[in-house]
Amino acid sequence: AATGAMTVPATLLLARRERVIDNEGTSQVVGRLTGGAAVTVEFNAAHVLEFEADPAPFHAALRRAVQGSE
């Protein structure tokens, strides 16, 4: 894909204790696709953010991303 191809707001939610997804690689790809404009939010969580013991921080980040105030 072309660098900076996405022109809509983007938020990338990552789990710091991820063992399945390559966070660094994913972040680089999203950065290229958005021209570096994506907001990245990291959680001290494992792979599936919504199933963490306390999903409230994940839910709050989703709300901020959708409302555009991240």
Side-chain angles (χ1 to χ4, degrees):
T3 300
M6 287 180 59
T7 58
V8 296
T11 301
L12 176 61
L13 305 175
L14 296 174
R16 285 190 192 112
R17 294 183 281 119
E18 179 61 63
R19 295 185 321 203
V20 178
I21 304 301
D22 175 7
N23 281 348
E24 182 62 31
T26 300
S27 183
Q28 289 174 6
V29 169
V30 170
R32 284 194 304 273
L33 289 174
T34 64
V39 172
T40 300
V41 180
E42 289 188 330
F43 300 90
N44 184 25
H47 176 69
V48 185
L49 298 171
E50 62 270 30
F51 295 134
E52 284 294 307
D54 179 12
F58 167 70
H59 294 158
L62 282 178
R63 278 192 300 278
R64 286 191 304 270
V66 170
Q67 294 169 347
S69 62
E70 181 63 73

